[in-house]
CSV table of all heavy atoms in Angstrom, one decimal:
chain,number,residue,atom,x,y,z
A,46,THR,N,-13.1,-16.8,-6.4
A,46,THR,CA,-12.1,-16.1,-7.1
A,46,THR,C,-11.2,-15.3,-6.2
A,46,THR,O,-9.9,-15.3,-6.3
A,46,THR,CB,-12.7,-15.1,-8.1
A,46,THR,OG1,-13.6,-15.9,-9.0
A,46,THR,CG2,-11.6,-14.5,-9.0
A,47,GLY,N,-11.8,-14.6,-5.2
A,47,GLY,CA,-11.0,-13.8,-4.3
A,47,GLY,C,-9.9,-14.5,-3.5
A,47,GLY,O,-8.7,-14.2,-3.6
A,48,VAL,N,-10.3,-15.6,-2.9
A,48,VAL,CA,-9.3,-16.3,-2.0
A,48,VAL,C,-8.4,-17.1,-2.9
A,48,VAL,O,-7.2,-17.2,-2.6
A,48,VAL,CB,-10.1,-17.2,-1.0
A,48,VAL,CG1,-10.9,-18.3,-1.7
A,48,VAL,CG2,-9.1,-17.9,-0.1
A,49,PHE,N,-8.9,-17.7,-4.0
A,49,PHE,CA,-8.0,-18.5,-4.9
A,49,PHE,C,-7.0,-17.5,-5.5
A,49,PHE,O,-5.8,-17.8,-5.5
A,49,PHE,CB,-8.8,-19.2,-6.0
A,49,PHE,CG,-7.9,-20.0,-6.9
A,49,PHE,CD1,-7.7,-21.3,-6.7
A,49,PHE,CD2,-7.3,-19.4,-8.1
A,49,PHE,CE1,-6.9,-22.1,-7.6
A,49,PHE,CE2,-6.5,-20.1,-8.9
A,49,PHE,CZ,-6.3,-21.5,-8.7
A,50,GLY,N,-7.4,-16.4,-6.0
A,50,GLY,CA,-6.5,-15.4,-6.7
A,50,GLY,C,-5.5,-14.9,-5.7
A,50,GLY,O,-4.4,-14.7,-6.0
A,51,PHE,N,-6.0,-14.6,-4.5
A,51,PHE,CA,-5.1,-14.1,-3.4
A,51,PHE,C,-3.9,-15.1,-3.2
A,51,PHE,O,-2.8,-14.7,-3.2
A,51,PHE,CB,-5.9,-13.9,-2.1
A,51,PHE,CG,-5.1,-13.3,-1.0
A,51,PHE,CD1,-5.0,-11.9,-0.8
A,51,PHE,CD2,-4.4,-14.1,-0.1
A,51,PHE,CE1,-4.3,-11.4,0.3
A,51,PHE,CE2,-3.7,-13.6,1.0
A,51,PHE,CZ,-3.6,-12.2,1.1
A,52,ALA,N,-4.3,-16.3,-3.0
A,52,ALA,CA,-3.3,-17.4,-2.7
A,52,ALA,C,-2.3,-17.5,-3.9
A,52,ALA,O,-1.1,-17.7,-3.8
A,52,ALA,CB,-3.9,-18.7,-2.4
A,53,ALA,N,-2.9,-17.5,-5.2
A,53,ALA,CA,-2.1,-17.7,-6.4
A,53,ALA,C,-1.2,-16.5,-6.6
A,53,ALA,O,0.0,-16.7,-7.0
A,53,ALA,CB,-3.0,-17.9,-7.6
A,54,LEU,N,-1.7,-15.3,-6.4
A,54,LEU,CA,-0.8,-14.1,-6.7
A,54,LEU,C,0.3,-14.0,-5.7
A,54,LEU,O,1.4,-13.6,-6.0
A,54,LEU,CB,-1.7,-12.9,-6.7
A,54,LEU,CG,-2.7,-12.7,-7.9
A,54,LEU,CD1,-3.6,-11.5,-7.6
A,54,LEU,CD2,-1.9,-12.6,-9.2
A,55,LEU,N,0.0,-14.3,-4.4
A,55,LEU,CA,1.0,-14.3,-3.4
A,55,LEU,C,2.1,-15.3,-3.7
A,55,LEU,O,3.3,-15.0,-3.5
A,55,LEU,CB,0.4,-14.5,-2.0
A,55,LEU,CG,1.4,-14.4,-0.8
A,55,LEU,CD1,1.9,-12.9,-0.8
A,55,LEU,CD2,0.6,-14.7,0.5
A,56,ARG,N,1.7,-16.5,-4.0
A,56,ARG,CA,2.7,-17.6,-4.4
A,56,ARG,C,3.5,-17.2,-5.6
A,56,ARG,O,4.7,-17.4,-5.6
A,56,ARG,CB,1.9,-18.9,-4.7
A,56,ARG,CG,2.9,-20.0,-5.0
A,56,ARG,CD,2.1,-21.3,-5.2
A,56,ARG,NE,2.9,-22.5,-5.4
A,56,ARG,CZ,3.2,-23.1,-6.6
A,56,ARG,NH1,2.6,-22.6,-7.7
A,56,ARG,NH2,3.9,-24.1,-6.6
A,57,LYS,N,2.9,-16.6,-6.6
A,57,LYS,CA,3.7,-16.1,-7.8
A,57,LYS,C,4.6,-15.0,-7.4
A,57,LYS,O,5.8,-15.0,-7.9
A,57,LYS,CB,2.7,-15.6,-8.8
A,57,LYS,CG,3.3,-15.3,-10.2
A,57,LYS,CD,2.3,-14.9,-11.2
A,57,LYS,CE,2.9,-14.6,-12.5
A,57,LYS,NZ,1.9,-14.3,-13.6
A,58,ALA,N,4.2,-14.1,-6.6
A,58,ALA,CA,5.1,-13.0,-6.1
A,58,ALA,C,6.3,-13.6,-5.4
A,58,ALA,O,7.5,-13.1,-5.6
A,58,ALA,CB,4.4,-12.0,-5.3
A,59,GLN,N,6.1,-14.5,-4.5
A,59,GLN,CA,7.2,-15.2,-3.8
A,59,GLN,C,8.1,-15.9,-4.8
A,59,GLN,O,9.3,-15.7,-4.7
A,59,GLN,CB,6.7,-16.2,-2.8
A,59,GLN,CG,7.8,-16.8,-2.0
A,59,GLN,CD,7.3,-18.0,-1.2
A,59,GLN,OE1,6.6,-18.8,-1.7
A,59,GLN,NE2,7.8,-18.1,0.1
A,60,ALA,N,7.6,-16.6,-5.7
A,60,ALA,CA,8.4,-17.4,-6.6
A,60,ALA,C,9.2,-16.5,-7.5
A,60,ALA,O,10.4,-16.8,-7.8
A,60,ALA,CB,7.5,-18.3,-7.4
A,61,GLN,N,8.7,-15.4,-8.0
A,61,GLN,CA,9.4,-14.6,-8.9
A,61,GLN,C,10.3,-13.5,-8.3
A,61,GLN,O,11.3,-13.1,-8.9
A,61,GLN,CB,8.3,-13.9,-9.8
A,61,GLN,CG,7.6,-14.8,-10.7
A,61,GLN,CD,6.7,-14.1,-11.7
A,61,GLN,OE1,6.4,-12.9,-11.5
A,61,GLN,NE2,6.2,-14.8,-12.7
A,62,HIS,N,9.9,-13.1,-7.0
A,62,HIS,CA,10.6,-11.9,-6.5
A,62,HIS,C,11.1,-12.1,-5.0
A,62,HIS,O,11.8,-11.2,-4.6
A,62,HIS,CB,9.7,-10.7,-6.6
A,62,HIS,CG,9.3,-10.4,-8.0
A,62,HIS,ND1,10.1,-9.8,-8.9
A,62,HIS,CD2,8.1,-10.5,-8.6
A,62,HIS,CE1,9.5,-9.6,-10.0
A,62,HIS,NE2,8.3,-10.0,-9.9
A,63,ALA,N,10.6,-13.1,-4.3
A,63,ALA,CA,10.9,-13.1,-2.9
A,63,ALA,C,11.1,-14.5,-2.3
A,63,ALA,O,10.6,-14.8,-1.2
A,63,ALA,CB,9.7,-12.4,-2.1
A,64,GLU,N,11.8,-15.3,-3.0
A,64,GLU,CA,11.9,-16.7,-2.6
A,64,GLU,C,12.6,-16.8,-1.3
A,64,GLU,O,12.3,-17.8,-0.5
A,64,GLU,CB,12.7,-17.5,-3.7
A,64,GLU,CG,12.7,-19.0,-3.4
A,64,GLU,CD,13.3,-19.7,-4.6
A,64,GLU,OE1,13.1,-19.3,-5.8
A,64,GLU,OE2,14.0,-20.8,-4.4
A,65,HIS,N,13.5,-15.9,-1.0
A,65,HIS,CA,14.3,-16.1,0.3
A,65,HIS,C,13.9,-14.9,1.2
A,65,HIS,O,14.7,-14.6,2.1
A,65,HIS,CB,15.8,-16.1,0.0
A,65,HIS,CG,16.2,-17.2,-0.9
A,65,HIS,ND1,16.1,-18.5,-0.6
A,65,HIS,CD2,16.6,-17.2,-2.2
A,65,HIS,CE1,16.5,-19.3,-1.6
A,65,HIS,NE2,16.9,-18.5,-2.6
A,66,PHE,N,12.7,-14.4,1.1
A,66,PHE,CA,12.3,-13.3,1.9
A,66,PHE,C,11.4,-13.8,3.0
A,66,PHE,O,10.7,-14.8,2.9
A,66,PHE,CB,11.5,-12.3,1.1
A,66,PHE,CG,12.3,-11.4,0.2
A,66,PHE,CD1,13.2,-11.9,-0.7
A,66,PHE,CD2,12.2,-10.0,0.3
A,66,PHE,CE1,13.9,-11.1,-1.6
A,66,PHE,CE2,12.9,-9.1,-0.5
A,66,PHE,CZ,13.8,-9.7,-1.4
A,67,GLU,N,11.3,-13.0,4.1
A,67,GLU,CA,10.2,-13.2,5.1
A,67,GLU,C,9.0,-12.4,4.5
A,67,GLU,O,9.2,-11.2,4.1
A,67,GLU,CB,10.6,-12.7,6.5
A,67,GLU,CG,9.4,-12.8,7.4
A,67,GLU,CD,9.7,-12.3,8.8
A,67,GLU,OE1,10.8,-11.8,9.1
A,67,GLU,OE2,8.8,-12.5,9.7
A,68,ILE,N,7.8,-13.0,4.5
A,68,ILE,CA,6.7,-12.4,4.0
A,68,ILE,C,5.7,-12.1,5.1
A,68,ILE,O,5.5,-12.9,6.0
A,68,ILE,CB,5.9,-13.2,2.9
A,68,ILE,CG1,6.9,-13.5,1.8
A,68,ILE,CG2,4.6,-12.6,2.5
A,68,ILE,CD1,6.3,-14.5,0.8
A,69,CYS,N,5.2,-10.9,5.2
A,69,CYS,CA,4.2,-10.5,6.1
A,69,CYS,C,3.1,-9.7,5.4
A,69,CYS,O,3.4,-8.8,4.6
A,69,CYS,CB,4.8,-9.6,7.3
A,69,CYS,SG,3.6,-9.2,8.6
A,70,VAL,N,1.9,-10.1,5.6
A,70,VAL,CA,0.7,-9.4,5.0
A,70,VAL,C,0.0,-8.5,5.9
A,70,VAL,O,-0.3,-8.9,7.1
A,70,VAL,CB,-0.2,-10.5,4.4
A,70,VAL,CG1,-1.4,-9.8,3.7
A,70,VAL,CG2,0.5,-11.4,3.4
A,71,LEU,N,-0.3,-7.3,5.5
A,71,LEU,CA,-1.0,-6.3,6.4
A,71,LEU,C,-2.3,-6.0,5.8
A,71,LEU,O,-2.5,-5.7,4.6
A,71,LEU,CB,-0.1,-5.1,6.5
A,71,LEU,CG,1.3,-5.2,7.1
A,71,LEU,CD1,1.3,-6.0,8.4
A,71,LEU,CD2,2.3,-5.8,6.1
A,72,PHE,N,-3.3,-5.9,6.8
A,72,PHE,CA,-4.7,-5.5,6.4
A,72,PHE,C,-5.1,-4.3,7.2
A,72,PHE,O,-4.7,-4.0,8.3
A,72,PHE,CB,-5.6,-6.6,6.7
A,72,PHE,CG,-5.4,-7.9,5.9
A,72,PHE,CD1,-4.7,-9.0,6.5
A,72,PHE,CD2,-5.9,-8.0,4.6
A,72,PHE,CE1,-4.5,-10.2,5.8
A,72,PHE,CE2,-5.7,-9.2,3.9
A,72,PHE,CZ,-5.0,-10.3,4.5
A,73,ASP,N,-6.0,-3.5,6.5
A,73,ASP,CA,-6.6,-2.4,7.2
A,73,ASP,C,-7.5,-2.9,8.3
A,73,ASP,O,-8.3,-3.9,8.1
A,73,ASP,CB,-7.5,-1.5,6.3
A,73,ASP,CG,-6.7,-0.8,5.2
A,73,ASP,OD1,-5.5,-0.5,5.5
A,73,ASP,OD2,-7.2,-0.7,4.1
A,74,ALA,N,-7.5,-2.3,9.5
A,74,ALA,CA,-8.5,-2.6,10.5
A,74,ALA,C,-9.8,-2.0,10.1
A,74,ALA,O,-9.9,-1.0,9.3
A,74,ALA,CB,-8.1,-2.0,11.9
A,75,GLU,N,-10.9,-2.5,10.6
A,75,GLU,CA,-12.3,-2.0,10.2
A,75,GLU,C,-12.4,-0.6,10.6
A,75,GLU,O,-13.1,0.2,9.9
A,75,GLU,CB,-13.3,-2.9,10.9
A,75,GLU,CG,-14.7,-2.5,10.5
A,75,GLU,CD,-15.8,-3.5,11.0
A,75,GLU,OE1,-15.4,-4.5,11.6
A,75,GLU,OE2,-17.0,-3.2,10.9
A,76,ASP,N,-11.8,-0.2,11.7
A,76,ASP,CA,-11.8,1.2,12.1
A,76,ASP,C,-10.5,2.0,11.8
A,76,ASP,O,-10.3,3.0,12.4
A,76,ASP,CB,-12.1,1.3,13.6
A,76,ASP,CG,-11.0,0.6,14.5
A,76,ASP,OD1,-10.2,-0.1,13.9
A,76,ASP,OD2,-10.9,0.8,15.7
A,77,GLY,N,-9.8,1.5,10.9
A,77,GLY,CA,-8.5,2.0,10.6
A,77,GLY,C,-8.4,3.4,10.1
A,77,GLY,O,-7.5,4.2,10.3
A,78,SER,N,-9.5,3.8,9.4
A,78,SER,CA,-9.5,5.2,8.7
A,78,SER,C,-10.1,6.2,9.7
A,78,SER,O,-10.1,7.4,9.3
A,78,SER,CB,-10.4,5.1,7.5
A,78,SER,OG,-9.9,4.2,6.5
A,79,GLN,N,-10.5,5.9,10.9
A,79,GLN,CA,-11.2,6.9,11.7
A,79,GLN,C,-10.3,8.1,12.1
A,79,GLN,O,-10.8,9.2,12.1
A,79,GLN,CB,-11.7,6.2,13.0
A,79,GLN,CG,-12.8,5.2,12.7
A,79,GLN,CD,-14.0,5.8,11.9
A,79,GLN,OE1,-14.5,6.8,12.3
A,79,GLN,NE2,-14.3,5.1,10.8
A,80,ALA,N,-9.1,7.9,12.3
A,80,ALA,CA,-8.2,9.0,12.7
A,80,ALA,C,-8.1,10.0,11.6
A,80,ALA,O,-8.2,11.2,11.8
A,80,ALA,CB,-6.8,8.5,13.1
A,81,ARG,N,-8.0,9.6,10.3
A,81,ARG,CA,-7.9,10.5,9.2
A,81,ARG,C,-9.3,11.1,8.9
A,81,ARG,O,-9.4,12.2,8.5
A,81,ARG,CB,-7.3,9.8,8.0
A,81,ARG,CG,-5.8,9.5,8.2
A,81,ARG,CD,-5.2,8.9,7.0
A,81,ARG,NE,-3.7,8.8,7.1
A,81,ARG,CZ,-3.0,7.8,7.6
A,81,ARG,NH1,-3.7,6.7,8.0
A,81,ARG,NH2,-1.7,7.9,7.6
A,82,ILE,N,-10.3,10.3,9.1
A,82,ILE,CA,-11.7,10.9,8.9
A,82,ILE,C,-12.0,12.0,9.9
A,82,ILE,O,-12.6,13.0,9.5
A,82,ILE,CB,-12.7,9.7,9.0
A,82,ILE,CG1,-12.6,8.8,7.8
A,82,ILE,CG2,-14.2,10.3,9.0
A,82,ILE,CD1,-13.5,7.6,7.9
A,83,ALA,N,-11.4,11.9,11.1
A,83,ALA,CA,-11.6,12.9,12.1
A,83,ALA,C,-11.0,14.2,11.6
A,83,ALA,O,-11.4,15.3,12.0
A,83,ALA,CB,-11.0,12.5,13.4
A,84,GLN,N,-9.9,14.1,10.7
A,84,GLN,CA,-9.3,15.3,10.2
A,84,GLN,C,-10.0,15.9,9.0
A,84,GLN,O,-10.0,17.1,8.7
A,84,GLN,CB,-7.8,15.0,9.8
A,84,GLN,CG,-7.0,14.6,11.0
A,84,GLN,CD,-5.5,14.3,10.5
A,84,GLN,OE1,-4.8,15.2,10.0
A,84,GLN,NE2,-5.1,13.0,10.6
A,85,ASP,N,-10.7,15.0,8.2
A,85,ASP,CA,-11.4,15.4,7.0
A,85,ASP,C,-12.5,14.3,6.8
A,85,ASP,O,-12.1,13.2,6.4
A,85,ASP,CB,-10.4,15.5,5.8
A,85,ASP,CG,-11.1,16.1,4.6
A,85,ASP,OD1,-12.3,15.9,4.4
A,85,ASP,OD2,-10.4,16.8,3.8
A,86,THR,N,-13.7,14.7,6.9
A,86,THR,CA,-14.8,13.7,6.8
A,86,THR,C,-14.9,13.2,5.3
A,86,THR,O,-15.6,12.2,5.1
A,86,THR,CB,-16.1,14.4,7.2
A,86,THR,OG1,-16.4,15.5,6.4
A,86,THR,CG2,-16.1,14.7,8.7
A,87,GLY,N,-14.3,13.8,4.4
A,87,GLY,CA,-14.4,13.4,3.0
A,87,GLY,C,-13.4,12.3,2.7
A,87,GLY,O,-13.4,11.7,1.6
A,88,TYR,N,-12.5,11.9,3.7
A,88,TYR,CA,-11.4,11.0,3.4
A,88,TYR,C,-12.1,9.6,3.0
A,88,TYR,O,-12.9,9.0,3.8
A,88,TYR,CB,-10.6,10.8,4.7
A,88,TYR,CG,-9.4,9.8,4.6
A,88,TYR,CD1,-8.4,10.1,3.7
A,88,TYR,CD2,-9.5,8.6,5.3
A,88,TYR,CE1,-7.3,9.2,3.6
A,88,TYR,CE2,-8.4,7.7,5.2
A,88,TYR,CZ,-7.3,8.0,4.3
A,88,TYR,OH,-6.3,7.1,4.2
A,89,LYS,N,-11.7,9.1,1.8
A,89,LYS,CA,-12.2,7.8,1.3
A,89,LYS,C,-13.7,7.7,1.2
A,89,LYS,O,-14.3,6.7,1.0
A,89,LYS,CB,-11.6,6.7,2.1
A,89,LYS,CG,-10.1,6.5,2.0
A,89,LYS,CD,-9.7,5.2,2.7
A,89,LYS,CE,-8.2,5.0,2.6
A,89,LYS,NZ,-7.7,3.8,3.2
A,90,ALA,N,-14.4,8.9,1.2
A,90,ALA,CA,-15.9,8.9,1.2
A,90,ALA,C,-16.4,8.4,-0.1
A,90,ALA,O,-17.6,8.0,-0.1
A,90,ALA,CB,-16.4,10.2,1.6
A,91,GLN,N,-15.6,8.5,-1.2
A,91,GLN,CA,-16.2,8.2,-2.5
A,91,GLN,C,-16.1,6.7,-2.8
A,91,GLN,O,-16.7,6.2,-3.8
A,91,GLN,CB,-15.3,8.9,-3.6
A,91,GLN,CG,-14.1,8.2,-4.1
A,91,GLN,CD,-12.9,8.1,-3.0
A,91,GLN,OE1,-13.1,8.4,-1.9
A,91,GLN,NE2,-11.8,7.5,-3.5
A,92,ARG,N,-15.5,5.9,-1.9
A,92,ARG,CA,-15.4,4.5,-2.2
A,92,ARG,C,-16.7,3.7,-2.0
A,92,ARG,O,-17.3,3.9,-0.9
A,92,ARG,CB,-14.3,3.9,-1.3
A,92,ARG,CG,-12.9,4.4,-1.6
A,92,ARG,CD,-11.8,3.7,-0.8
A,92,ARG,NE,-10.5,4.2,-1.1
A,92,ARG,CZ,-9.3,3.7,-0.7
A,92,ARG,NH1,-9.4,2.6,0.0
A,92,ARG,NH2,-8.2,4.3,-1.0
A,93,PRO,N,-17.1,2.9,-2.9
A,93,PRO,CA,-18.3,2.1,-2.8
A,93,PRO,C,-18.1,1.0,-1.7
A,93,PRO,O,-17.0,0.6,-1.4
A,93,PRO,CB,-18.5,1.5,-4.1
A,93,PRO,CG,-17.1,1.4,-4.7
A,93,PRO,CD,-16.4,2.6,-4.2
A,94,ALA,N,-19.2,0.6,-1.2
A,94,ALA,CA,-19.2,-0.6,-0.2
A,94,ALA,C,-18.7,-1.8,-1.0
A,94,ALA,O,-19.0,-2.0,-2.1
A,94,ALA,CB,-20.6,-0.8,0.3
A,95,PRO,N,-17.8,-2.6,-0.3
A,95,PRO,CA,-17.3,-3.8,-1.0
A,95,PRO,C,-18.4,-4.8,-1.3
A,95,PRO,O,-19.4,-4.9,-0.5
A,95,PRO,CB,-16.3,-4.3,0.0
A,95,PRO,CG,-16.7,-3.8,1.3
A,95,PRO,CD,-17.3,-2.5,1.0
A,96,ALA,N,-18.2,-5.6,-2.3
A,96,ALA,CA,-19.2,-6.6,-2.7
A,96,ALA,C,-19.2,-7.7,-1.6
A,96,ALA,O,-18.1,-8.0,-1.0
A,96,ALA,CB,-18.8,-7.3,-4.0
A,97,PRO,N,-20.3,-8.3,-1.3
A,97,PRO,CA,-20.3,-9.3,-0.2
A,97,PRO,C,-19.3,-10.5,-0.4
A,97,PRO,O,-18.7,-10.9,0.5
A,97,PRO,CB,-21.8,-9.9,-0.3
A,97,PRO,CG,-22.6,-8.7,-0.9
A,97,PRO,CD,-21.6,-8.1,-1.8
A,98,GLY,N,-19.1,-10.9,-1.7
A,98,GLY,CA,-18.1,-11.9,-1.9
A,98,GLY,C,-16.7,-11.5,-1.6
A,98,GLY,O,-15.9,-12.3,-1.2
A,99,LEU,N,-16.5,-10.2,-1.7
A,99,LEU,CA,-15.1,-9.7,-1.4
A,99,LEU,C,-14.9,-9.7,0.1
A,99,LEU,O,-13.8,-10.1,0.6
A,99,LEU,CB,-15.0,-8.3,-1.9
A,99,LEU,CG,-13.6,-7.7,-1.9
A,99,LEU,CD1,-12.6,-8.5,-2.6
A,99,LEU,CD2,-13.6,-6.3,-2.4
A,100,ILE,N,-16.0,-9.4,0.9
A,100,ILE,CA,-15.8,-9.5,2.3
A,100,ILE,C,-15.6,-10.9,2.8
A,100,ILE,O,-14.7,-11.2,3.7
A,100,ILE,CB,-17.1,-8.9,3.0
A,100,ILE,CG1,-17.3,-7.4,2.6
A,100,ILE,CG2,-17.1,-9.1,4.5
A,100,ILE,CD1,-18.6,-6.8,3.1
A,101,ASP,N,-16.3,-11.8,2.2
A,101,ASP,CA,-16.1,-13.3,2.6
A,101,ASP,C,-14.7,-13.7,2.2
A,101,ASP,O,-14.0,-14.4,2.9
A,101,ASP,CB,-17.1,-14.1,1.8
A,101,ASP,CG,-18.5,-13.9,2.3
A,101,ASP,OD1,-18.7,-13.4,3.4
A,101,ASP,OD2,-19.5,-14.2,1.5
A,102,SER,N,-14.2,-13.2,1.1
A,102,SER,CA,-12.8,-13.6,0.6
A,102,SER,C,-11.8,-13.1,1.6
A,102,SER,O,-10.7,-13.7,1.8
A,102,SER,CB,-12.6,-13.0,-0.8
A,102,SER,OG,-13.5,-13.6,-1.7
A,103,LEU,N,-12.0,-11.9,2.2
A,103,LEU,CA,-11.1,-11.4,3.1
A,103,LEU,C,-10.9,-12.3,4.3
A,103,LEU,O,-9.7,-12.6,4.7
A,103,LEU,CB,-11.5,-10.0,3.6
A,103,LEU,CG,-10.7,-9.3,4.7
A,103,LEU,CD1,-9.3,-9.1,4.2
A,103,LEU,CD2,-11.3,-8.0,5.1
A,104,MET,N,-11.9,-12.8,4.9
A,104,MET,CA,-11.8,-13.7,6.0
A,104,MET,C,-11.1,-15.0,5.6
A,104,MET,O,-10.3,-15.5,6.3
A,104,MET,CB,-13.2,-14.0,6.5
A,104,MET,CG,-13.9,-12.8,7.1
A,104,MET,SD,-15.5,-13.2,7.9
A,104,MET,CE,-16.5,-13.6,6.4
Side-chain angles (χ1 to χ4, degrees):
T46 306
V48 62
F49 182 92
F51 182 91
L54 291 172
L55 186 60
R56 180 175 186 260
K57 185 175 182 180
Q59 181 192 43
Q61 293 184 344
H62 301 286
E64 188 172 327
H65 302 293
F66 284 57
E67 178 179 5
I68 300 173
C69 184
V70 180
L71 297 311
F72 295 101
D73 295 328
E75 188 173 349
D76 60 347
S78 299
Q79 291 307 307
R81 288 181 170 93
I82 291 174
Q84 298 179 65
D85 189 326
T86 56
Y88 181 69
K89 293 186 177 181
Q91 87 292 4
R92 296 189 179 185
L99 189 57
I100 296 174
D101 294 340
S102 296
L103 175 61
M104 296 183 290

